[in-house]
Amino acid sequence: MKFLGNLIWLLFGGIVTSIEYLISSLLLMVTIIGIPFGLQTLKLALLALWPFGSKVTDNGNSGGCLCLIMNIIWIFLGGIWICLTHLGFGLLLCITIIGIPFGRQHFKMAALALAPFGKNIQ
C-alpha cells in the first residue's frame, strides 16, 4: 500500500512539489548563510517525494538553543507560509474519504515545514 500511495502521490503533484523544494533548496545554498536553511528544505523535498511510510521524528539531541533560534528564523522567513499551504491542502483533501490519506501526508509535511531544525525523516 505504501508503494501504491507513493505512486499516486507522485502522479498527482508530489513530484512537482519535490522539485519546487529542491530548486528552493539550491537557491538557498547560494550563500553561506542560507546553507542550513537549504538543508532543511532538502528534508521537505525528500518527504514530498516519498511521504507514505516515512516518519518525522525528533533528534535525540535537539541541538538546544541553536535549533530553537534557527526554527524561529525559519518561521519568520517563510516557514509559516509553507505550513499554512500544507494545512490548506490537507484540509481540502480530507473533504473526501479517498483524499484522507493524502491529507494526512500534508499534515505531516506541515509539521515539518513549521519547525524543521532538530527533526529527522525515517
Side-chain angles (χ1 to χ4, degrees):
M1 289 306 287
K2 289 184 228 179
F3 176 74
L4 184 61
N6 281 327
L7 184 65
I8 294 170
W9 176 269
L10 284 175
L11 291 176
F12 290 104
I15 191 78
V16 174
T17 306
S18 182
I19 290 171
E20 288 173 349
Y21 280 131
L22 183 64
I23 290 170
S24 64
S25 176
L26 293 174
L27 290 174
L28 282 168
M29 288 193 214
V30 170
T31 64
I32 293 174
I33 296 171
I35 290 174
F37 299 103
L39 292 174
Q40 301 311 310
T41 311
L42 277 177
K43 283 184 189 178
L44 286 165
L46 178 66
L47 188 61
L49 194 58
W50 305 109
F52 289 91
S54 300
K55 290 191 324 186
V56 178
T57 58
D58 288 328
N59 284 347
N61 55 358
S62 63
C65 188
L66 183 61
C67 280
L68 177 67
I69 291 170
M70 296 298 272
N71 277 329
I72 291 170
I73 293 170
W74 173 270
I75 288 171
F76 285 123
L77 291 180
I80 189 75
W81 300 113
I82 299 170
C83 178
L84 289 175
T85 302
H86 284 299
L87 285 175
F89 281 130
L91 290 173
L92 187 67
L93 285 167
C94 284
I95 291 173
T96 64
I97 293 174
I98 295 172
I100 289 174
F102 300 102
R104 291 182 66 205
Q105 300 310 314
H106 272 290
F107 294 145
K108 182 171 40 174
M109 289 178 25
L112 182 64
L114 188 61
F117 289 92
K119 302 260 172 63
N120 284 333
I121 298 175
Q122 297 177 350

